[in-house]
Amino acid sequence: MAAAHEDDIVIELKDVKKIYKMGETEVRALNGVSLKISRGDFVVIVGPSGSGKSTLMHIMGTLDHPSEGEVFYDGGAIKVLDDWHLAMLRRKKIGFIFQNFNLIPTLNAYENVMIPTEPLSGNKESLEERGIELLKKVGLGNRMLHRPDELSGGQRQRVSIARALINDPEIIFADEPTGNLDSATGKQVIELMYELNQREKKTFVLVTHDPSLLDYASRKVFILDGIITKIEENGSRKAVAKRNKEK
Amino acid sequence: MLKQSFMNLSRHKLRTALSVLGIILGVSSLILLVSVVDGIRLDIENAFSKAQGARVSSLHGGDPVLSQLDESWIPKLEKIAGVKIAVGNIIQSTRFVDGKQQDLFSGPRVLGIDVDRSLKATSTGFSGELLEGRDFKSADRGVALIGKAVQDNFDKFVGTKIKVNDKSFTIVGVYTTGSDLIDNSILVPIDDAREATGFPKGKVSYFNVQLVNPKDDQVVVDRINLIYGDKIMAQSLSDFSSQFGQLFDSITALVVILASIASVVAAVGVINTMLMSVLERFKEIGALKAVGWTSENIMALVVFESVLVGIIGGLAGVLLGVALAGFTNSFLLATHVSTPLILGSFIGAVFVGLLAGVYPAFVASRMDPVEALRFE
């Protein structure tokens, strides 16, 4: 199915390398990665720690710059963009979900969801409604005024999912989204993301070392020592079928 | 953003409170000090604004207490065109009042007045207003008029006695000039003053010179100085207030410099607080960047927090400063809190907050969003 999206590519990486110099030695975190992410994909990137998967996500998410190679968003090279334009790109097109949630401890769930809209000027009424709607959608309709320390890990990650969606992005990056959660809660969180992918056609890119998340993937990307070793097209329908069979 | 900033500041309440305290102390001490200087200035301006004529003292008589002149100057001065009458005065500090030792500067002064001559003058340069009792009469001896400050400090009233050094006086009147400084005087007939202080006979501290036409004061003063300028010094009384004005301008400038140093210290405190606050929030700040905040948005947040510290500190500092000035006014000495002083101190505090936020804001805006995503 993903193959049918070939001409609807959100992100494309061409031979991306990331080289860190640590004294005399060079560390090649990414050593020539090429990858295309299509609209509506649910991409799971799997690799052990130190494989370069986080670096890959940072570069795809425009937070880091490649040492060599190029990144294209909707066909345009982003290396011509300065910091301000990159921030605007993230604001409009990208959502982030972090392993340690990165919620602001002094703000309640609703205010945390609204944080990406804080710099926006003008009428925020529709955004405010959207924030409430999103919190209801992630199952926190009755927890909106709770602060992060009054929420469980799974609830916090739901807040950060709602925060990632507030600006209606095209693509959402999640870095070990279940890494800080127990397996039952982790399953709920990943299913929520999968649902958003299925129902709202949001593109998700997950980075994890947990192979069990591969079950949800429409594309599986395996990475080791800075190189993509294998890409499997899975078709999200197949994933649904597989999950249904498990039940 | 207001709530976000406020909540950020309330994370470490003690730390924020301490940096706010720095600003409070700076602002309130500035208000207190300037209000004291302004209070004294206003006091003296009030007392001198009604005074007319000129004062003649010895050449080194910048301080009238140190000046000494021979009474033989009276006919010489009165011969000068424009001079109506010259009245000798003695001014001395008191050593003991009612047997209690007095401070050289804050203790009351004895003002000896040539009563008979001063009764001939319509204005003596002294612009007091009688509150109780009576003025001096011809051939009065052993009596005193006391200023209101003396009445308050020594709990005296008309009819009681006051002992200056070794000499006792009966109080016949109480006056006020509106100036605590000048009201802190005991007026006695000039010969009594000589007896009480040991001031030499035939000498006076200075002459108050009344003029035929008060508007000619500068002309007459110039005339006296032209003829006798090598031996005595004449000044118009209106000069005194402008001289005091210059003196107080320098004192105010000094106080403002001191307050500026306090502001720098307060600013360093705020910089430290903001920098720590920013450094420990690097993950959050990185996350804000990841979700689409620009570097400018981050800077604005941090500067806003810092300005908030300035606003809170400025408001509290103004309140405390005005309260301290009010307390001082009631119990110690006259103070005057002007609107420009309040506004200036407050705006200064906000400005200090603004400036102190710039560097921490810059540091925050340069933080790498990748750090926020790195798992610890």
Side-chain angles (χ1 to χ4, degrees):
Chain A
M1 188 180 168
H5 288 173
E6 207 47 71
D7 52 4
D8 197 9
I9 290 165
V10 191
I11 305 175
E12 183 175 3
L13 272 66
K14 274 188 185 162
D15 199 27
V16 164
K17 292 181 183 171
K18 184 71 185 181
I19 299 156
Y20 296 103
K21 285 217 171 103
M22 301 183 96
E24 294 292 295
T25 50
E26 274 189 356
V27 178
R28 292 176 173 259
L30 292 177
N31 201 3
V33 169
S34 296
L35 182 66
K36 290 172 184 171
I37 311 283
S38 303
R39 221 170 291 283
D41 258 355
F42 198 92
V43 180
V44 177
I45 300 172
V46 181
S49 69
S51 60
K53 59 183 191 301
S54 287
T55 306
L56 176 60
M57 199 197 82
H58 298 157
I59 288 175
M60 281 197 291
T62 76
L63 299 178
D64 206 350
H65 303 283
S67 312
E68 287 174 39
E70 277 203 74
V71 180
F72 299 89
Y73 260 76
D74 293 328
I78 64 162
K79 70 174 177 190
V80 300
L81 302 180
D82 61 14
D83 279 352
W84 188 84
H85 283 95
L86 287 175
M88 290 300 134
L89 178 70
R90 288 196 290 274
R91 186 181 290 180
K92 286 183 185 135
K93 294 197 170 177
I94 304 174
F96 277 99
I97 298 166
F98 308 97
Q99 176 173 7
N100 49 351
F101 322 128
N102 278 325
L103 299 175
I104 296 186
T106 49
L107 300 180
N108 65 34
Y110 170 72
E111 289 160 345
N112 264 292
V113 169
M114 299 307 287
I115 268 290
T117 71
E118 191 65 39
L120 305 179
S121 54
N123 190 1
K124 290 187 185 172
E125 221 167 88
S126 63
L127 280 170
E128 283 162 8
E129 276 169 27
R130 183 176 162 77
I132 294 167
E133 209 174 283
L134 280 169
L135 275 165
K136 284 181 184 160
K137 197 183 278 180
V138 299
L140 292 174
N142 56 347
R143 287 277 188 280
M144 285 196 240
L145 301 181
H146 287 60
R147 289 205 318 234
D149 58 6
E150 298 162 339
L151 298 171
S152 70
Q155 288 170 332
R156 287 183 213 180
Q157 196 58 300
R158 287 157 190 269
V159 173
S160 70
I161 291 172
R163 178 180 64 185
L165 292 169
I166 186 71
N167 281 341
D168 199 16
E170 281 181 18
I171 183 161
I172 293 133
F173 291 98
D175 188 5
E176 299 278 13
T178 60
N180 271 8
L181 306 174
D182 63 62
S183 58
T185 321
K187 194 166 174 319
Q188 288 172 357
V189 165
I190 185 80
E191 301 224 328
L192 175 63
M193 290 194 260
Y194 184 73
E195 223 176 276
L196 289 164
N197 168 253
Q198 293 295 301
R199 275 214 222 129
E200 307 195 1
K201 303 296 167 215
K202 296 283 177 207
T203 312
F204 274 82
V205 176
L206 271 64
V207 165
T208 184
H209 67 275
D210 177 5
S212 74
L213 300 188
L214 287 167
D215 292 348
Y216 300 88
S218 65
R219 293 178 87 205
K220 301 171 183 174
V221 177
F222 298 87
I223 185 167
L224 188 65
D225 297 334
I227 293 169
I228 292 178
T229 52
K230 189 169 61 168
I231 299 180
E232 279 181 22
E233 306 288 340
N234 209 10
S236 46
R237 277 199 208 98
K238 198 174 163 189
V240 179
K242 190 183 173 195
R243 284 196 310 135
N244 287 343
K245 210 161 64 186
E246 278 171 356
K247 285 177 186 170
Chain B
M1 192 146 89
L2 178 68
K3 188 189 173 193
Q4 200 183 346
S5 305
F6 197 75
M7 296 306 278
N8 282 334
L9 291 174
S10 64
R11 285 189 212 193
H12 293 275
K13 292 195 178 65
L14 181 63
R15 187 174 72 192
T16 305
L18 287 175
S19 59
V20 168
L21 185 65
I23 293 188
I24 291 178
L25 292 180
V27 168
S28 56
S29 58
L30 173 72
I31 290 183
L32 179 61
L33 290 175
V34 174
S35 75
V36 166
V37 175
D38 280 354
I40 299 174
R41 178 208 298 260
L42 220 66
D43 224 43
I44 292 193
E45 277 173 5
N46 279 340
F48 276 101
S49 61
K50 288 175 234 145
Q52 288 175 340
R55 171 177 288 190
V56 174
S57 50
S58 62
L59 272 183
H60 53 274
D63 184 344
V65 175
L66 300 175
S67 167
Q68 214 176 88
L69 287 168
D70 204 277
E71 275 184 321
S72 64
W73 279 100
I74 293 177
K76 292 184 205 164
L77 287 170
E78 289 183 349
K79 254 178 235 157
I80 290 170
V83 173
K84 193 170 165 192
I85 187 165
V87 182
N89 282 336
I90 289 174
I91 187 161
Q92 287 289 283
S93 47
T94 53
R95 280 171 288 124
F96 295 93
V97 171
D98 288 349
K100 271 176 278 174
Q101 186 150 18
Q102 297 299 311
D103 184 81
L104 182 61
F105 294 103
S106 63
R109 275 137 309 179
V110 184
L111 196 59
I113 293 175
D114 189 337
V115 175
D116 289 337
R117 292 191 68 78
S118 95
L119 288 175
K120 288 182 211 159
T122 49
S123 164
T124 55
F126 161 73
S127 52
E129 181 193 334
L130 209 56
L131 293 175
E132 291 174 44
R134 61 167 177 86
D135 211 334
F136 288 121
K137 287 189 301 207
S138 181
D140 256 347
R141 286 300 298 268
V143 296
L145 267 87
I146 58 171
K148 199 175 176 308
V150 177
Q151 180 185 38
D152 293 345
N153 293 344
F154 295 94
D155 197 21
K156 296 288 181 188
F157 40 92
V158 173
T160 55
K161 300 232 171 209
I162 188 163
K163 197 169 159 200
V164 177
N165 298 340
D166 291 327
K167 191 168 168 58
S168 197
F169 293 91
T170 304
I171 295 166
V172 293
V174 180
Y175 71 90
T176 182
T177 57
S179 157
D180 275 356
L181 210 66
I182 297 176
D183 280 0
N184 195 17
S185 302
I186 302 166
L187 274 57
V188 298
I190 197 161
D191 284 330
D192 287 339
R194 289 192 178 106
E195 281 173 28
T197 63
F199 205 85
K201 244 188 145 32
K203 302 272 186 189
V204 298
S205 298
Y206 58 86
F207 295 102
N208 269 324
V209 175
Q210 202 195 344
L211 308 175
V212 179
N213 184 354
K215 281 179 189 155
D216 288 343
D217 58 347
Q218 204 52 56
V219 179
V220 179
V221 160
D222 289 346
R223 205 172 281 153
I224 297 171
N225 284 333
L226 189 69
I227 303 171
Y228 297 116
D230 55 335
K231 298 185 188 84
I232 57 173
M233 180 175 70
Q235 285 169 291
S236 84
L237 286 180
S238 58
D239 263 6
F240 274 102
S241 59
S242 71
Q243 268 183 2
F244 274 117
Q246 283 168 13
L247 176 68
F248 282 115
D249 282 346
S250 345
I251 295 176
T252 306
L254 187 71
V255 166
V256 169
I257 289 169
L258 285 176
S260 310
I261 295 170
S263 312
V264 171
V265 174
V268 170
V270 177
I271 292 174
N272 185 40
T273 297
M274 294 311 299
L275 204 54
M276 277 167 73
S277 149
V278 158
L279 290 176
E280 70 196 11
R281 281 190 283 157
F282 73 99
K283 266 181 181 291
E284 267 172 49
I285 289 168
L288 289 176
K289 283 190 159 180
V291 302
W293 281 43
T294 62
S295 299
E296 290 79 8
N297 295 148
I298 308 270
M299 283 191 84
L301 177 70
V302 177
V303 170
F304 195 81
E305 283 174 30
S306 187
V307 167
L308 212 53
V309 169
I311 290 175
I312 297 170
L315 278 180
V318 164
L319 289 180
L320 181 65
V322 171
L324 285 176
F327 179 84
T328 308
N329 197 21
S330 317
F331 297 102
L332 296 166
L333 66 162
T335 57
H336 175 73
V337 182
S338 63
T339 313
L341 175 61
I342 289 178
L343 287 180
S345 320
F346 176 70
I347 292 168
V350 176
F351 194 65
V352 164
L354 180 76
L355 279 184
V358 169
Y359 176 66
F362 178 73
V363 170
S365 75
R366 296 291 299 268
M367 283 179 170
D368 187 354
V370 169
E371 291 297 325
L373 292 97
R374 201 155 278 160
F375 181 58
E376 65 266 49

